[in-house]
Amino acid sequence: MHLDACIALCYERKLLSESVVRELCEKAKEVLLKEGNVQTVAAPCTVVGDVHGQFYDVLEIFKITGKCPDVNFVFLGDYVDRGFYSVETIMLLICLKIRWPHRITLIRGNHESRAVTQTYGFYAECMRKYGSSNVWTYITDLFDYLVLAAVIEESIFCVHGGLSPSIHTIDQIKIIDRFKELPHEGPMADLVWSDPAPNTHIQNQRFTGGGDDTKGDFQISPRGAGYLFGKQVTRQFLDTNGLGHICRAHQLCMEGYQILFDDLVSTVWSAPNYCYRAGNLASVLQIGPELDRFFNVFGPKFEGL
Amino acid sequence: MTGAIATHTLFPQTQNIRSTQPIESGIQFTTTTGSQWRISVTKAPILNAEQMDQLTSSKNLQVPYPEMFFGFNKLTMSNEATSGVVVDFSAVDALQCVEFGSTEAMDSVKVAFSKEWTEKSEKLHGKIKQIAKPYDWTYTPKKYSGSVKGPQQFTTTESKIDVEMLKRNDPILWYDEVVLYEDELGDNGSCTLTARVRVMPTCFLILLRYFLRVDGVLFRVHDTRLFHAFHSTTVIRETSTRECSYDRVLGKVPGGAGVFSGGANSSGRDLSLLNKGDWVAQGMPDPLYLEGSGKGVADGVTMSVERDELSLVVKK
Ligand SMILES: [Mn+2]
């Protein structure tokens, strides 16, 4: 089947046949195999956060910013689960990736995983729409090939979750063997799972014990696994690598974006009215030729109502 | 045994579902004994950063907010005009019952791979410490069973909810449901706190349900039910807790018994039922059949139940 015909079908939210999905996933693997763990991206470009199968909101993003290949895109991961149209969303992105590999970067999120998608909807959706788990298997196998990070114009570091105490330099990311299921621990897990240390909300409280989050070190999450990264380690990472900013996704915010640590870090969230009930706004981050940053905020399309 | 709704009205008449302002909707009714009621739910989107900051300082809230915190949302049961009694189930009050900074908060359940993860982390990054202010990241609203205002408080009772009245095929005059908060626990499970209500011609029932899944570890269901039969002069409250292993529930998912595994080459399984609190709760023994107040273990589920009641009689 011709690729442009597939893209046209995908834009119409049509399901591709199982054999076409398989073929496209194989083709996409070939493309991704050539990419290093850290992609370099030129500005101007548009950075997109979590979309979670909210297909119509992805179309809305293209309407707001322009389509591929007219615009350079960096997607920060979490393409599937939660929303009604995970298959349609990821297949559209996969087709665009094969067609214009240098115009769209697909970073891996923590939902691009076999373990997570069995619980949070993507597996069930594949079974419902195709009657077998084959499509889920093809696509989750492809997830193992997605890149881990991107750097825009040697200045903006893009990743799904955040920093890792095992990673000081970009070169250390480049040597990770990424072609595998997401592990529970280690640098690859940290990149897709970690969060910035929470806001100042609780900092003036009296209780002490354990680490001091006012210094901005790494801290261990109360869940008993996973790191939170603070302001100081963020500054250190940026300085070491000659970078200016970290752009990440992974956390819902009512306004669609959040700027942290005196503008060293921003969170981009691109799924409006998340799970069709949160009522939140979404945004994409448009980065101009001079690396100026603009959060283009948009609201829900009331998909499925 | 008389007591039924004489007249009722639903409000508001129309509403804009796209509004970002809190919207209150509900039912107002008078019973044949002259008791005046107003039951409502208030719904709005999750709080934004500014609203969170305001709430933090005005209420001295210390726990970091759950991912989806519907800070305006609540369910209110009011008999104020008659007895002065008002019971609220609110997101803010519930969050204030989550353990913060205590030993209990520090000892809260951990994710399945925590032990292995911690050992590696200690070896490689021994300097990195736990967060300074531990909190119960599962957002279990410990002992939260509604905020009571009015002249009386709940007192222990032997009375039970009249299940037979609820089973009757009476028309439901009003039903609604409101999410108070929800968190995906960083994709290590999920927790939701939801309040719902149904009003029938002779009684009403309110259910506050906290549901928790920690992948590979456990399930928890905490229910608070408020029941009032219009022929009576009390509101009965039954508060129950249930907890069991993850594997017990996993074994009930169609597709046979299985162990939690997510390795490559796995053919996968549809585990989305594990997100559905009602389905999980139905697969556990019902603690409301326990007599009085007490604890027990049945069929692999650890349970407790407490019963109390609130008098609607006006003291002269
Ligand atoms: Mn994520």
Side-chain angles (χ1 to χ4, degrees):
Chain A
M1 198 173 190
H2 195 273
L3 187 54
D4 286 334
C6 290
I7 293 175
L9 285 176
C10 284
Y11 271 122
E12 287 172 35
R13 220 202 78 211
K14 294 275 181 351
L15 277 184
L16 303 173
S17 73
E18 197 178 296
S19 59
V20 171
V21 170
R22 181 171 152 179
E23 209 178 303
L24 289 168
C25 286
E26 286 309 313
K27 194 90 196 93
K29 281 184 195 170
E30 285 171 33
V31 172
L32 291 168
L33 196 56
K34 289 182 215 144
E35 297 192 343
N37 293 348
V38 185
Q39 280 297 96
T40 39
V41 177
C45 63
T46 296
V47 185
V48 185
D50 293 29
V51 294
H52 283 296
Q54 297 188 195
F55 180 83
Y56 288 101
D57 296 312
V58 175
L59 290 192
E60 181 68 10
I61 291 169
F62 290 137
K63 210 183 285 172
I64 293 168
T65 67
K67 279 186 185 175
C68 200
D70 305 332
V71 176
N72 234 342
F73 282 101
V74 178
F75 281 79
L76 297 176
D78 281 11
Y79 313 108
V80 298
D81 284 339
R82 308 281 183 199
F84 296 146
Y85 308 108
S86 290
V87 182
E88 292 88 340
T89 302
I90 187 66
M91 288 318 296
L92 171 61
L93 296 177
I94 288 172
C95 287
L96 296 175
K97 179 69 196 174
I98 302 169
R99 181 71 179 78
W100 295 289
H102 303 294
R103 285 297 193 181
I104 177 168
T105 298
L106 299 179
I107 293 175
R108 192 169 188 177
N110 64 304
H111 279 264
E112 277 69 64
S113 140
R114 295 170 186 81
V116 172
T117 49
Q118 291 177 76
T119 304
Y120 292 93
F122 181 47
Y123 183 88
E125 185 186 317
C126 291
M127 290 300 286
R128 198 167 57 241
K129 290 178 177 169
Y130 287 94
S132 92
S133 63
N134 292 341
V135 163
W136 175 81
T137 306
Y138 303 145
I139 297 175
T140 50
D141 283 350
L142 171 69
F143 288 161
D144 290 347
Y145 289 70
L146 295 174
V147 303
L148 302 178
V151 175
I152 300 168
E153 298 286 351
E154 296 175 13
S155 174
I156 300 170
F157 177 70
C158 301
V159 68
H160 180 70
L163 299 179
S164 164
S166 309
I167 294 170
H168 306 285
T169 66
I170 298 286
D171 284 340
Q172 286 173 308
I173 305 176
K174 290 183 178 165
I175 58 168
I176 295 172
D177 170 24
R178 76 169 195 265
F179 300 97
K180 58 186 179 194
E181 168 69 0
L182 288 177
H184 278 315
E185 38 84 29
M188 189 164 154
D190 299 338
L191 290 171
V192 300
W193 288 94
S194 54
D195 284 324
N199 44 50
T200 49
H201 289 136
I202 54 169
Q203 279 188 4
N204 39 20
Q205 300 304 327
R206 212 168 39 81
F207 184 85
T208 51
D212 178 1
D213 55 2
T214 54
K215 277 198 319 216
D217 288 335
F218 280 101
Q219 294 172 78
I220 294 171
S221 154
R223 295 178 191 124
Y227 296 106
L228 304 168
F229 58 99
K231 185 176 169 184
Q232 185 201 294
V233 293
T234 302
R235 175 156 285 148
Q236 231 162 51
F237 177 83
L238 291 171
D239 288 348
T240 306
N241 294 285
L243 300 165
H245 191 80
I246 295 173
C247 180
R248 41 90 63 177
H250 194 46
Q251 270 177 312
L252 173 62
C253 29
M254 177 62 198
E255 297 84 346
Y257 69 95
Q258 201 174 8
I259 296 169
L260 295 150
F261 302 160
D262 293 326
D263 204 21
L264 295 182
V265 175
S266 51
T267 298
V268 193
W269 182 265
S270 305
N273 195 26
Y274 182 44
C275 296
Y276 311 108
R277 62 177 173 275
N280 61 289
L281 295 171
S283 81
V284 292
L285 173 58
Q286 291 177 295
I287 296 171
E290 306 302 324
L291 298 184
D292 43 304
R293 281 176 267 129
F294 170 62
F295 289 94
N296 202 331
V297 175
F298 61 102
K301 299 310 288 175
F302 288 88
E303 169 182 307
L305 276 184
Chain B
M1 203 163 111
T2 52
I5 290 181
T7 57
H8 78 275
T9 50
L10 299 181
F11 61 90
Q13 300 299 326
T14 56
Q15 64 185 52
N16 176 8
I17 56 159
R18 297 188 182 212
S19 167
T20 55
Q21 296 303 310
I23 295 175
E24 191 191 20
S25 60
I27 187 169
Q28 242 171 325
F29 56 90
T30 306
T31 65
T32 49
T33 59
S35 192
Q36 290 178 48
W37 289 89
R38 188 176 190 281
I39 306 178
S40 68
V41 296
T42 304
K43 297 181 186 178
I46 56 171
L47 295 191
N48 63 35
E50 200 189 321
Q51 291 162 337
M52 286 183 194
D53 286 342
Q54 276 169 11
L55 193 62
T56 299
S57 41
S58 70
K59 294 268 180 179
N60 196 24
L61 265 179
Q62 307 185 77
V63 180
Y65 290 97
E67 187 177 34
M68 284 190 220
F69 185 63
F70 296 89
F72 290 111
N73 287 11
K74 62 180 176 178
L75 190 157
T76 305
M77 175 210 95
S78 170
N79 188 229
E80 198 165 17
T82 306
S83 65
V85 162
V86 180
V87 181
D88 257 351
F89 293 91
S90 93
V92 173
D93 293 347
L95 192 63
Q96 282 180 309
C97 293
V98 172
E99 284 290 335
F100 174 86
S102 57
T103 343
E104 272 163 338
M106 231 169 323
D107 295 343
S108 65
V109 58
K110 303 289 180 231
V111 300
F113 50 93
S114 171
K115 195 165 172 277
E116 173 198 346
W117 189 95
T118 308
E119 279 166 13
K120 287 229 167 103
S121 177
E122 271 167 10
K123 208 153 72 188
L124 292 169
H125 310 289
K127 284 206 321 247
I128 299 179
K129 297 287 190 303
Q130 279 284 344
I131 60 159
K133 292 129 190 151
Y135 61 98
D136 177 7
W137 59 281
T138 67
Y139 292 104
T140 305
K142 262 194 143 177
K143 301 199 158 50
Y144 182 68
S145 47
S147 323
V148 187
K149 280 170 264 173
Q152 333 245 20
Q153 291 298 316
F154 278 93
T155 52
T156 312
T157 183
E158 293 296 311
S159 303
K160 291 170 113 179
I161 291 174
D162 188 339
V163 183
E164 294 311 314
M165 278 183 85
L166 293 171
K167 280 187 190 156
R168 286 203 316 236
N169 212 4
D170 290 341
I172 291 172
L173 303 178
W174 183 59
Y175 171 87
D176 211 341
E177 181 171 347
V178 58
V179 180
L180 302 184
Y181 60 72
E182 193 169 340
D183 196 285
E184 297 166 356
L185 311 179
D187 299 314
N188 289 297
S190 85
C191 71
T192 54
L193 184 68
T194 317
R196 32 185 133 152
V197 52
R198 70 178 146 118
V199 178
M200 287 146 292
T202 58
C203 62
F204 68 76
L205 178 73
I206 292 168
L207 169 64
L208 175 77
R209 171 164 285 173
Y210 166 76
F211 167 68
L212 169 71
R213 183 189 81 247
V214 180
D215 284 326
V217 184
L218 58 77
F219 282 89
R220 227 174 245 174
V221 178
H222 289 190
D223 287 341
T224 296
R225 285 180 174 79
L226 286 194
F227 174 80
H228 176 57
F230 301 131
H231 64 76
S232 77
T233 53
T234 54
V235 174
I236 295 175
R237 178 166 71 179
E238 294 189 333
T239 307
S240 68
T241 67
R242 285 177 279 178
E243 184 171 316
C244 71
S245 74
Y246 180 88
D247 287 342
R248 183 192 178 277
V249 180
L250 186 67
K252 293 186 185 290
V253 175
V259 195
F260 179 70
S261 105
N265 309 318
S266 105
S267 63
R269 257 181 99 185
D270 179 4
L271 300 180
S272 54
L273 273 174
L274 302 182
N275 292 304
K276 298 186 170 41
D278 291 349
W279 180 83
V280 172
Q282 273 164 26
M284 293 179 174
D286 188 345
L288 296 189
Y289 291 106
L290 291 175
E291 294 296 325
S293 296
K295 294 175 194 227
V297 181
D299 195 12
V301 179
T302 308
M303 306 187 289
S304 76
V305 60
E306 278 174 41
R307 295 186 166 87
D308 49 14
E309 63 183 19
L310 184 62
S311 170
L312 300 171
V313 178
V314 196
K315 283 187 191 146
K316 296 275 158 65

